[in-house]
Amino acid sequence: MKLSAAIDNAMPELVAIRRDLHAHPELGLDETRTSAFIARHLEELGYQVATGIAKTGVVGTLRNGTGSRSIGIRADIDALPIQEETGVAYASTKPGLMHACGHDGHTAMLLGAARALAERRNFDGTIHLIFQPAEENAGGAKIMVDEGLFDRFPCDAVFALHNEPNLPFGQFALREGPIMAAVDEARITVHGRGGHGAEPQATADPIVCGASIVMALQTIVARNIHPMDPSVVTVGAFHAGSASNIIPERAEIVVGIRSFDPAVRDELERRIRMITEAQASSFGMRATVDYERSYDATINHKAETDFLREAAIRFAGADKVVDLARPFMGSEDFAYMLKERPGSYFFLGSRVTGEEKSLHHPGYDFNDDLLPIGAAFWTELAEAYLARR
């Protein structure tokens, strides 16, 4: 049976899988039902299944022929702490949790590919299908790698995708080198001296000091980072005070930081610390910075990205494949798999009407029409990779 016909025949099952996962979302490292669901499907298809990697991660392995080459394909499986507002019949059954990023669709596509690969057996080597927990919160990819993912399941290359409502439906968007940013967070506490709002001269007002810090932080990207080095410093929260006649003891500022180059990342941290401390000192106060480095930048490898581009053009046509002019400022923990093994990460567009909700929006829902595209492409990519000599 031709691949297209096989995938089309499996479409009702793919939709059912996706909507079942959507109705039962689970947060990172707590995807127990999801993990068992995936493992059961893989076992029924004849895969060798390993569970409990990074607590709830699953790897399905399929071997065929005598080839020594191996490929890994990753799907993320976790949901988000968002109250769903889609109104669909298969909406989340868990208050405050939903699949608002399409990981339900990513998982269903890879399970669809799992079926096609097992039925066709049109490859020579080993396929590892990696179902990764906690992409959204706890860096499940890094946990899997640290627990010996690639020692247990050697991969010559690894690939992953993400749906993107801001790109045209069915468009493959990729790029060599950086494609997603490193993300860090700074929590700044300004230590003042509280008192009565009518007697400000007897206090050290952390709100005024904090406001000055917020404004000064805006100069870092504009005046300390080279214009050709993409970076972002965003003050996302400022917490202080409780009433108009009370000057509080402290103010708290939360800053999100995005970058690509390690040297720029270091400079951003250095300047944030320096500006915070110097601004506070100028107001006669003290400020502390709790700086946490999160996901590294996602860096695609040239050879694997070239292979991915060629496969996408064969699959969808040159008009459906674009090289991104610039990387996205979002982050992705697939970065840690790419640091250990060569590979590539890309986007698959899902925009049809232009009215689609963005990722992480309470009204977002994965476009089921992408399921056969993703499942078929993963199948062709794996078969092509393991046919190479």
Side-chain angles (χ1 to χ4, degrees), residues 37 73 87 103 126 137 156 177 250 265 271 273 283 335 337-338 340 346-347 349:
F37 181 96
I73 303 174
H103 296 182
T126 302
N137 62 346
D156 294 315
R250 64 181 58 82
R265 195 179 193 183
R271 289 296 297 163
R273 290 185 181 278
F283 284 87
M337 294 191 187
L338 290 177
E340 297 295 322
F346 68 98
F347 297 96

Side-chain angles (χ1 to χ4, degrees), residues 238-370:
F238 190 136
H239 305 291
S242 59
S244 63
N245 63 345
I246 302 172
I247 292 175
E249 283 285 309
R250 64 181 58 82
E252 296 179 350
I253 303 165
V254 183
V255 187
I257 305 103
R258 308 271 173 165
S259 61
F260 293 93
D261 184 276
V264 171
R265 195 179 193 183
D266 290 342
E267 179 65 5
L268 289 168
E269 179 177 357
R270 188 184 75 84
R271 289 296 297 163
I272 287 170
R273 290 185 181 278
M274 181 181 295
I275 284 174
T276 297
E277 294 166 3
Q279 288 287 323
S281 178
S282 73
F283 284 87
M285 285 176 248
R286 179 175 63 89
T288 55
V289 181
D290 180 11
Y291 204 99
E292 181 179 358
R293 295 205 173 192
S294 187
Y295 296 173
D296 290 344
T298 304
I299 312 294
N300 284 336
H301 297 251
K302 176 176 172 47
E304 287 67 30
T305 303
D306 289 344
F307 169 73
L308 174 67
R309 184 185 300 104
E310 293 167 3
I313 290 172
R314 286 195 306 271
F315 178 84
D319 61 325
K320 286 285 191 176
V321 181
V322 300
D323 278 79
L324 295 168
R326 59 182 64 85
F328 285 10
M329 295 307 296
S331 61
E332 164 61 67
D333 72 346
F334 189 63
Y336 297 102
M337 294 191 187
L338 290 177
K339 291 180 76 172
E340 297 295 322
R341 293 294 185 273
S344 195
Y345 177 92
F346 68 98
F347 297 96
L348 182 59
S350 60
R351 187 182 73 228
V352 177
T353 67
E355 300 299 319
E356 290 83 0
K357 302 300 184 184
S358 64
L359 302 175
H360 292 213
H361 188 283
Y364 165 85
D365 189 22
F366 184 87
N367 186 341
D368 283 336
D369 289 339
L370 276 183

Side-chain angles (χ1 to χ4, degrees), residues 33-57:
R33 181 190 184 277
T34 305
S35 178
F37 181 96
I38 293 166
R40 183 173 68 253
H41 276 268
L42 292 173
E43 287 167 352
E44 290 173 355
L45 293 171
Y47 283 74
Q48 181 180 344
V49 179
T51 60
I53 309 161
K55 191 176 179 181
T56 48

Side-chain angles (χ1 to χ4, degrees), residues 50 162 215 224 281 314 362:
H162 205 293
M215 296 306 295
N224 301 130
S281 178
R314 286 195 306 271

